[in-house]
Amino acid sequence: MAASWPPGEGEFERLLETLAWVEGNSPYYRRRFAEAGARVGDLRSYADVRRLIPRTAKADLVANQQQHPPFGEFLAVPRERFGSLHTSPGPIFIPRLPEERGGTPVLKEAIRAMGVRPGEVAHVTLSYHVMPGGLRLHRAFEEAGCLVINGGTGASRLQVEVARGWGATVYAGTPSFLANLGETAVEMGLDPRRDLAYRVGFSTAEALTPALRAKLHDTFGIELFDHCGEAQIGPLAGECRVHEGMHLHATDLFCEFLDPESGEPAEPGGIGEIVATQLGPRALPLVRYAPGDAFRLLAEPCPCGDRSLRIAFVGQVGAIRKIKGVLIHPAQVQRVLAGFPEVGRFQIVVEQRPGERYESAVLRAGVVGPIAPDLAERLAARLKATVLIGFEVQVVGEGEVPETAAGPRFAEAIVDRRSHG
Ligand SMILES: [Zn+2]
């Protein structure tokens, strides 16, 4: 069944079964539910779940595992039932049941959507060291019928030699490491297009910008597919051959997309923070886990025919503000400004000026070098067309914009001078 939003009746039933199992088996959640006044047997609708069942932050998991080492009170089965051990930096300990496949069914679907054929050689370059990503991808490609190179990170020259020797046609890892392999191949006197056979690539764990995608296509002739996920809840979504947003493939998760300000379900076309519950019995269950990532929900059906929801990564939820009624993440503005090479850092000032009916949004664009006379006008027009709100644009020297406004943290990218009270 395709993952849908808002959730259907069948998905709600599966969620309730899971919550009842968790309440019965995980001491941590039994206590959290009771403290919140929630009894799973009394939940009648998804709205009840949203209102009564508390969210879990990564910090809750880390703190509880540190207080009760190593697994914490989240644990829902005795150790004799563990099938495998997954560990993330923190360290975070995630034991799994033998039947929990660590997200590989989602990944297999994503691998199929890339047009990968059984028998192809896949080169996995995510880390295998105290990180779940490398091994998880390795297993998924093997389950999809591929032969897999255990590349891991670093050792670029050796990796080029191995990928060339095996004739790898599929790359899987970060786009920046692929760029590194291209440069290394050239240093070794090779032609990446002729000497390496990469045909398609599974890009993950960092942003695949349009510029990087184009550069890697130039270097290798490779078609890259962007993917997203999170270390604890695993893979979520991936691009199809249309390359417009990522299809949500996570059928073993109950995914919610909630308005970062109101907590209500996000509308199609809007921005939602992901909150995910792992479905089915788990050795270490996570309920309403909120890693703090925001996505835009694409409203139109995909021309590829896959009816599952498409999402596009926006950024960390903490940097989002509602401006003129629209949720804006500084990363969206940065993507627009990337089309203007003379613009560096920027800052947005939102205020409600006395006597004015509507709030104002001023974009201070920090510029390096000479300034074209119509720059402010062109910036305003492009922003209005893509981010959908009107900005007054002020062109200033980049030195006048604080460094703390810069991405990827964007700590002071939006200055909110509206009084809330
Ligand atoms: Zn599609």
Side-chain angles (χ1 to χ4, degrees), residues 239-244 247 302-306 310:
E239 284 185 339
C240 63
R241 304 200 73 165
V242 176
H243 300 289
E244 282 171 22
H247 285 283
C302 185
C304 79
D306 181 341
R310 277 182 304 160

Side-chain angles (χ1 to χ4, degrees), residues 28 32 55-66 74:
Y28 175 84
R32 286 288 307 276
R55 296 186 188 192
T56 308
K58 182 173 167 180
D60 299 331
L61 175 61
V62 173
N64 190 270
Q65 289 200 332
Q66 280 171 358
F74 282 69

Side-chain angles (χ1 to χ4, degrees), residues 350-368:
V350 194
E351 58 189 332
Q352 181 70 57
R353 291 173 183 152
E356 286 188 22
R357 185 162 174 195
Y358 299 108
E359 60 196 33
S360 66
V362 175
L363 177 88
R364 303 176 68 233
V367 169
V368 192

Side-chain angles (χ1 to χ4, degrees), residues 4 14 26 30 33 87 123 133 162 203 215 231 278 316 329 337-338 348 364 396:
S4 63
R14 278 184 80 198
S26 164
R30 186 157 52 240
F33 291 0
T87 321
H123 180 193
V162 172
S203 176
K215 177 187 157 180
Q278 297 172 323
Q316 277 284 299
H329 192 289
L337 300 189
I348 295 164
R364 303 176 68 233
V396 300

